[in-house]
Amino acid sequence: MASIRFIHSADLHLGSPFSGMKSLGAEQWKTLQNSTLAAFGRLMSYTLETRPDFLLIVGDIYDGEDRNLRAQHRFQQGMEQLHEAGIPVILSHGNHDHLSGGAASFELPPNVHVFQDSVENIALEVRGAMVKIAGFSYGRRHVTESMIEQYPRKEAGVIQLGMLHGSEESDTEHAVYAPFRKEQLLAKNYDYWALGHIHKRQQLSMDPPIVYPGNLQGRNRKESGPKGFYEVALTDGHANLKFIAAEAVRFERITINCSSVQHMNELFSIAKEQLEAHDAEALVAELELQNLDEATIHMLEDIPNAELVHALREALSEEERFVHISKVQLDRNILSEELSPFGKQLASRLESWEANDWKQALKELYNHPRSGRFLPQLDDGLQDELRAEAEAKIRKMMALGDQR
């Protein structure tokens, strides 16, 4: 088999609004708002620099079906650059930017092939080798039926790739679109499956590779760690995958070892030292304070969480790069060990609460005609803060040491 090299990207979500992010400075907010476009720019720069045989983009190029105009313009400019460099692009639209949404306002150059809403198998000739790429775009937002049976089997003498924006039937963490079983993909005998839709980087199979590259830019605390795309080389039936980080802002959960902390200045120094050692260019961090002794726990309990977060942000404000503390949390395992049996029951119940439980509990407060409009959005971040504060109060009231 001949050797080919291509880039596999997915889930660009250009124009993502980043709702729910609070307390950012003006420049930090601008950096975050532009981060999906900046990550896309890095994808374009790497592609132009390394000159792969082609680029795959597997769904959700845009964040919404209305396709943000600025994002469309930036994407079209990138495609024009690749056209001038002679690099083909094969793309599909996913559930976020399906074909029934807002029509694209910019014409894409001829090097770009856009899949329609039924499976196609297009052909490319790469240095004398025949490469075929099968895929489809979402014709509507919800494609809940399996599409895998529409994919052709591999032909003899052909390098066959598959593009599929979807999820495994057994997936319980995400909305299941275009469902498939791994065995169905393997049965097609393809040389590589380029997947999209799941924002976590993972390989469902090594031989042949069945790969999610994850999204190009994290957008919230659940999309933490390095984000980017894969450069893939297929040679004589063997695949070599190289992950390339592209995110402009990284979301990260960072543990802070507080075993030697007795005073707040020590905590601030340790936190600052660990954050300065982190290699991200720009960072939105959740801090989890671990290995706390009883005295340090009591010290931190007396400080409102919002005040602690604000003070840590201020302590890091001299950093030359973008570093934002989104929240600070005490190690919950330590907290639960100090609770009474009834306190553990209450904390466990809070841990299991979903968004609707919080909305029901706070309904009267949020519906109040005067105060309701001043309250922050009840997003995941606020729910976590409320849960942490509630657990701290439970522990204060029901600690084993206070039992009679």
Side-chain angles (χ1 to χ4, degrees):
M1 183 172 102
S3 176
I4 65 170
R5 185 173 59 85
F6 60 91
I7 287 175
H8 171 199
S9 65
D11 298 282
L12 279 56
H13 287 275
L14 302 181
S16 179
F18 289 93
S19 58
M21 292 295 297
K22 308 293 182 184
S23 305
L24 287 168
E27 285 302 313
Q28 289 181 330
W29 177 245
K30 183 178 178 181
T31 299
L32 189 62
Q33 284 289 86
N34 290 331
S35 60
T36 56
L37 297 177
F40 172 69
R42 293 174 182 188
L43 170 62
M44 291 298 97
S45 295
Y46 189 88
T47 305
L48 290 166
E49 179 183 343
T50 60
R51 302 289 178 121
D53 295 317
F54 50 87
L55 166 66
L56 306 181
I57 306 178
V58 194
D60 286 355
I61 298 159
Y62 303 105
D63 191 62
E65 59 189 12
D66 58 349
R67 302 187 191 181
N68 176 283
L69 193 64
R70 182 182 176 217
Q72 286 188 72
H73 184 216
R74 190 68 64 86
F75 185 75
Q76 192 268 346
Q77 288 179 315
M79 296 304 99
E80 290 286 359
Q81 289 179 305
L82 297 185
H83 174 55
E84 292 173 7
I87 301 172
V89 180
I90 300 89
L91 66 85
S92 62
H93 290 282
N95 53 298
H96 275 262
D97 60 349
H98 55 88
L99 298 175
S100 298
S105 304
F106 294 89
E107 183 181 10
L108 296 176
N111 64 313
V112 180
H113 179 86
V114 181
F115 284 120
Q116 296 307 302
D117 60 357
S118 58
V119 175
E120 305 171 65
N121 197 22
I122 68 163
L124 292 176
E125 187 174 334
V126 179
R127 292 183 298 281
M130 179 57 67
V131 179
K132 289 196 173 182
I133 305 168
F136 75 98
S137 286
Y138 281 47
R140 59 192 187 281
R141 181 171 179 81
H142 301 290
V143 176
T144 55
E145 68 272 19
S146 176
M147 299 290 289
I148 193 61
E149 293 307 320
Q150 296 184 30
Y151 283 73
R153 288 184 62 85
K154 177 184 174 178
E155 304 171 33
V158 169
I159 301 172
Q160 181 69 60
L161 312 182
M163 291 171 60
L164 176 57
H165 190 87
S167 47
E168 290 188 275
E169 286 181 2
S170 58
D171 192 341
T172 59
E173 294 184 23
H174 308 88
V176 177
Y177 293 134
F180 63 86
R181 297 190 308 277
K182 184 171 75 171
E183 294 74 19
Q184 292 177 302
L185 303 189
L186 293 172
K188 297 294 181 179
N189 202 30
Y190 284 17
D191 297 290
Y192 186 92
W193 278 99
L195 304 183
H197 180 56
I198 304 303
H199 291 184
K200 180 181 179 181
R201 178 163 40 109
Q202 55 189 302
Q203 290 185 235
L204 304 185
S205 168
M206 301 292 286
D207 185 21
I210 302 176
V211 180
Y212 283 109
N215 52 338
L216 200 62
Q217 166 63 55
R219 300 172 303 147
N220 54 58
R221 66 186 186 85
K222 294 181 180 179
E223 298 177 353
S224 61
K227 296 290 181 178
F229 54 89
Y230 277 110
E231 181 178 35
V232 183
L234 291 179
T235 307
D236 297 328
H238 298 286
N240 180 51
L241 279 68
K242 179 182 179 182
F243 177 73
I244 309 298
E247 82 278 348
V249 179
R250 185 179 301 177
F251 288 78
E252 199 73 271
R253 185 178 182 87
I254 299 173
T255 59
I256 306 295
N257 183 356
C258 299
S259 58
S260 62
V261 169
Q262 296 295 322
H263 304 285
M264 290 304 301
N265 57 301
E266 294 172 326
L267 172 61
F268 280 31
S269 294
I270 291 172
K272 190 172 182 178
E273 180 180 321
Q274 293 200 28
L275 287 166
E276 285 175 347
H278 203 281
D279 64 353
E281 178 182 323
L283 183 65
V284 176
E286 292 184 5
L287 305 186
E288 181 173 330
L289 309 185
Q290 294 188 339
N291 300 322
L292 300 156
D293 63 22
E294 186 175 351
T296 308
I297 287 174
H298 289 311
M299 175 181 71
L300 293 170
E301 279 180 347
D302 292 331
I303 303 169
N305 188 263
E307 183 180 342
L308 177 59
V309 170
H310 181 76
L312 277 165
R313 286 175 185 162
E314 190 173 76
L316 292 163
S317 62
E318 295 178 2
E319 279 267 326
E320 293 183 3
R321 60 174 180 156
F322 172 166
V323 177
H324 176 73
I325 307 300
S326 59
K327 76 173 189 176
V328 179
Q329 186 173 333
L330 276 61
D331 185 350
R332 293 191 177 182
N333 291 326
I334 294 171
L335 292 176
S336 62
E337 288 173 2
E338 297 203 353
L339 286 172
S340 66
F342 182 54
K344 287 180 181 179
Q345 272 191 319
L346 291 176
S348 177
R349 179 66 62 87
L350 283 174
E351 185 66 32
S352 68
W353 271 20
E354 302 289 345
N356 286 336
D357 297 308
W358 286 105
K359 288 177 182 178
Q360 184 64 30
L362 300 170
K363 181 171 64 175
E364 290 187 14
L365 184 60
Y366 271 81
N367 288 341
H368 193 280
R370 292 185 179 178
S371 63
R373 59 196 177 101
F374 297 108
L375 296 174
Q377 181 181 347
L378 192 57
D379 56 18
D380 288 347
L382 181 56
Q383 290 167 33
D384 286 341
E385 287 184 26
L386 291 171
R387 186 181 293 111
E389 295 280 0
E391 287 186 9
K393 288 188 179 294
I394 291 170
R395 189 157 55 83
K396 266 189 174 182
M397 296 171 63
M398 298 185 177
L400 283 172
D402 293 337
Q403 300 301 303
R404 296 292 186 263

